[in-house]
Amino acid sequence: MSDKALDSYLEGLKFARKANNLKYISSLQHNIALIKRKLGKYEEAKTNFKKSLTYLKLNSKKTKNDTISYLMTISELVTTYRQNTEIDSASYLNDKGFKISKGKEIESLFRFNEGIIQYYSKEYQNAINNINEAVTSFSKPQNRIYFEYYNLIEAYLFIGKSYNSLSQKEQAMQYFKKIDSIVEKTNYIIPQVRTAYIEIIDYYKSIDDRNNQLYYIDRLLFNDSILDKNYRNVNNKLIKEYDTPILLSEKEKLITKLKTKQKRSNLGLIISLIITVLISILLILNHRKSKRYKMRFDEMMKQNKVEKHKKETKQELNDAIGIDEEVVHIILKGLDHFETNKGFLETNIKSGILAKKMNTNSKYLTKVIKYHKGKNFSPYINDLRIDYIIEELKADTKLQKYTIKALASEAGFNSTEVFSKSFFKKTGIYPSYFVKQIQKKENLS
């Protein structure tokens, strides 16, 4: 069904582009992005949502409907970021939507997303409060157009998961069962419902309620068959806690137990052992990862100064790159001045702009940087920025309280995502981890 809809939208997009109808192009990009997200194609979905936003932003204040369309697309992009576990990006964009939507009915959609983001930040009670408040708001007739079944399923799912994290299992089950009720009444099934069924099955298994365990295994197997048909393309990307063969095996085992009232079979013990081994492996891998991050942090803290880039100029090297030695010397001197005066903190610095300041051309500049700094232009600039912000964080406790977005801006980046990726590429850890560890170190001292 999704594939057919996608074909129709793509066909419509061709005609809209021929007619240069920007409004329809934007609307179709939005709908195409929704389908691609359902199929698990998050990167493509993000691209389409951003294309839609380009038009919608220009027209967002013309009418009330234009503003709502703009905010709806922002909300869907936030959902795409968080489903792709890009929580920093989701949080930044959701804050932006929250401010624009203030006082409008659609504001609750951003409160709903904020609640889910708070779950990822382990603010479980705040997550429950915000999601519940959003659900209450969307129960009003005038607001229902902004809240689809998939929103309601996600709302109950994250409330349940938050209660689980607070060790309030019975409250969690109430919300997971609400998801089953929605599925039963509407036949509306999305991949997220699997998590609810698995939580219910595990809960009844933990209290040895075999009848309910068997009932919900049957419900999961039935809905899996529909999911497999409707989401065949995305099923390969889903990480399933219960594969169908294991579920079927568990089902047969339960039936045998209910009939014979015998103890666990050997198969159950083997499955439990496998699960235990898998969990142990995951814990070991996670421990090694934490240890590796800690080692990288300690190494960074031992460095008293940022290592200066090597400036040796060799005649044979200059000959190899085809630039006169005197020109190379002038460019290297200019780069030294650029680094000393922290010119790299200027956002949107380009090789052409920097070359012009040095009275040379960008071709010579990038060649000298490549041979003498061992990097292309962008990595060279980004590494300087990362070195700078690391030293600043070590020295300035006030800076340690900044958000990642604010730190990115402080270092000259205009994108939080690029900042985080550049930081990890250079140091092997993320800026959020570095800040937490340095704060911990400060508190201890």
Side-chain angles (χ1 to χ4, degrees):
M1 193 70 176
S2 294
D3 289 338
K4 289 181 181 178
L6 184 58
D7 290 339
S8 299
Y9 288 142
L10 290 171
E11 191 65 27
L13 192 58
K14 287 181 185 177
F15 287 110
R17 280 174 173 161
K18 283 182 182 178
N20 197 30
N21 191 322
L22 299 179
K23 185 174 183 178
Y24 283 117
I25 290 172
S26 172
S27 177
L28 288 164
Q29 292 283 15
H30 177 100
N31 292 335
I32 288 168
L34 288 174
I35 291 175
K36 287 187 174 180
R37 189 177 70 199
K38 280 185 180 180
L39 298 175
K41 300 176 180 177
Y42 296 114
E43 293 302 324
E44 293 178 31
K46 284 191 292 183
T47 300
N48 286 105
F49 278 131
K50 287 174 183 177
K51 286 179 181 177
S52 179
L53 280 173
T54 301
Y55 166 80
L56 291 170
K57 186 176 181 181
L58 294 173
N59 297 274
S60 63
K61 295 180 181 178
K62 287 186 177 180
T63 67
K64 181 181 177 182
N65 285 340
D66 287 327
T67 303
I68 295 301
S69 296
Y70 177 57
L71 289 169
M72 284 291 289
T73 302
I74 288 178
S75 174
E76 295 295 356
L77 183 53
V78 170
T79 300
T80 308
Y81 274 128
R82 60 176 174 74
Q83 287 184 358
N84 200 33
T85 62
E86 297 176 75
I87 305 305
D88 282 347
S89 297
S91 180
Y92 168 74
L93 191 59
N94 197 62
D95 287 344
K96 180 180 178 182
F98 225 144
K99 290 175 185 175
I100 301 171
S101 66
K102 207 72 177 173
K104 299 179 177 66
E105 298 93 336
I106 200 171
E107 180 184 353
S108 292
L109 200 53
F110 294 96
R111 185 175 301 283
F112 162 71
N113 277 320
E114 182 184 30
I116 294 177
I117 291 166
Q118 284 171 329
Y119 165 80
Y120 285 107
S121 301
K122 298 183 180 180
E123 300 174 51
Y124 302 121
Q125 193 57 57
N126 287 336
I128 292 167
N129 295 340
N130 274 314
I131 297 172
N132 268 324
E133 188 176 336
V135 171
T136 302
S137 173
F138 286 122
S139 64
K140 298 174 184 176
Q142 69 269 25
N143 293 346
R144 285 176 187 165
I145 57 170
Y146 305 122
F147 213 60
E148 303 290 344
Y149 278 126
Y150 71 83
N151 297 123
L152 191 56
I153 287 171
E154 278 203 314
Y156 291 152
L157 179 64
F158 280 95
I159 292 173
K161 290 171 78 170
S162 295
Y163 274 125
N164 253 351
S165 297
L166 293 171
S167 300
Q168 299 178 35
K169 301 289 183 183
E170 291 182 3
Q171 288 93 328
M173 288 307 112
Q174 292 176 21
Y175 285 93
F176 293 139
K177 286 183 179 180
K178 283 184 180 184
I179 294 173
D180 178 52
S181 296
I182 293 172
V183 172
E184 196 164 23
K185 288 176 184 176
T186 65
N187 288 322
Y188 189 91
I189 305 173
I190 56 175
Q192 288 90 329
V193 302
R194 297 195 85 257
T195 303
Y197 285 118
I198 289 164
E199 293 287 356
I200 296 170
I201 292 166
D202 283 347
Y203 171 74
Y204 282 120
K205 186 174 183 178
S206 70
I207 63 172
D208 202 26
D209 185 339
R210 295 167 188 171
N211 284 305
N212 273 314
Q213 191 183 348
L214 181 59
Y215 171 75
Y216 284 104
I217 283 177
D218 280 335
R219 292 284 297 145
L220 177 53
L221 288 169
F222 172 75
N223 291 319
D224 263 357
S225 66
I226 299 173
L227 270 174
D228 186 58
K229 182 180 178 182
N230 294 342
Y231 290 86
R232 194 157 291 158
N233 293 331
V234 74
N235 253 8
N236 292 333
K237 297 183 180 181
L238 290 172
I239 300 172
K240 296 183 178 180
E241 293 90 338
Y242 278 72
D243 290 319
T244 300
I246 296 176
L247 281 170
L248 290 170
S249 173
E250 189 74 8
K251 177 182 175 179
E252 292 302 319
K253 183 179 66 176
L254 279 169
I255 291 170
T256 303
K257 283 182 178 180
L258 289 167
K259 286 180 178 179
T260 62
K261 296 181 181 180
Q262 291 179 345
K263 293 182 179 180
R264 286 182 180 175
S265 65
N266 290 333
L267 178 61
L269 292 172
I270 292 169
I271 291 172
S272 298
L273 180 62
I274 291 171
I275 292 172
T276 303
V277 170
L278 288 173
I279 291 171
S280 299
I281 291 170
L282 286 172
L283 288 171
I284 291 168
L285 290 174
N286 188 55
H287 175 71
R288 287 180 179 175
K289 180 181 175 183
S290 299
K291 192 174 179 182
R292 188 171 68 250
Y293 277 18
K294 186 66 171 62
M295 286 175 65
R296 288 294 301 122
F297 173 78
D298 290 340
E299 287 171 10
M300 290 164 68
M301 293 303 294
K302 286 176 184 176
Q303 296 171 354
N304 294 323
K305 280 189 175 182
V306 179
E307 291 183 13
K308 295 292 182 184
H309 297 283
K310 293 181 179 179
K311 301 185 184 66
E312 293 86 8
T313 307
K314 296 181 180 178
Q315 180 61 45
E316 59 269 23
L317 188 58
N318 299 332
D319 292 339
I321 63 176
I323 304 174
D324 184 77
E325 183 179 0
E326 186 177 345
V327 174
V328 173
H329 178 73
I330 291 169
I331 292 173
L332 286 172
K333 190 175 179 181
L335 288 174
D336 188 42
H337 181 268
F338 171 72
E339 292 175 15
T340 303
N341 289 278
K342 299 180 176 60
F344 50 83
L345 295 180
E346 180 184 339
T347 55
N348 299 318
I349 186 75
K350 306 290 183 188
S351 59
I353 297 170
L354 185 56
K356 193 173 181 181
K357 290 179 180 180
M358 295 182 183
N359 296 318
T360 185
N361 60 60
S362 60
K363 185 178 178 182
Y364 281 5
L365 175 65
T366 52
K367 271 193 173 185
V368 170
I369 290 172
K370 175 72 175 175
Y371 279 83
H372 287 270
K373 308 294 182 180
K375 304 169 187 175
N376 291 325
F377 183 78
S378 290
Y380 164 68
I381 297 294
N382 289 343
D383 282 356
L384 287 172
R385 290 168 171 171
I386 299 303
D387 286 338
Y388 166 79
I389 203 66
I390 287 170
E391 293 305 311
E392 289 297 301
L393 281 166
K394 288 179 183 179
D396 190 348
T397 55
K398 184 180 176 182
L399 199 67
Q400 294 166 14
K401 297 175 183 177
Y402 280 25
T403 63
I404 300 302
K405 178 177 175 292
L407 287 175
S409 177
E410 191 76 18
F413 290 91
N414 54 19
S415 163
T416 307
E417 195 173 345
V418 173
F419 170 60
S420 293
K421 286 181 179 177
S422 299
F423 197 102
F424 183 83
K425 188 174 181 181
K426 179 164 177 61
T427 66
I429 59 177
Y430 287 102
S432 54
Y433 177 86
F434 181 76
V435 171
K436 284 178 183 176
Q437 290 299 313
I438 206 168
Q439 287 176 333
K440 192 185 292 183
K441 194 177 181 73
E442 290 286 341
N443 291 335
L444 287 172
S445 60

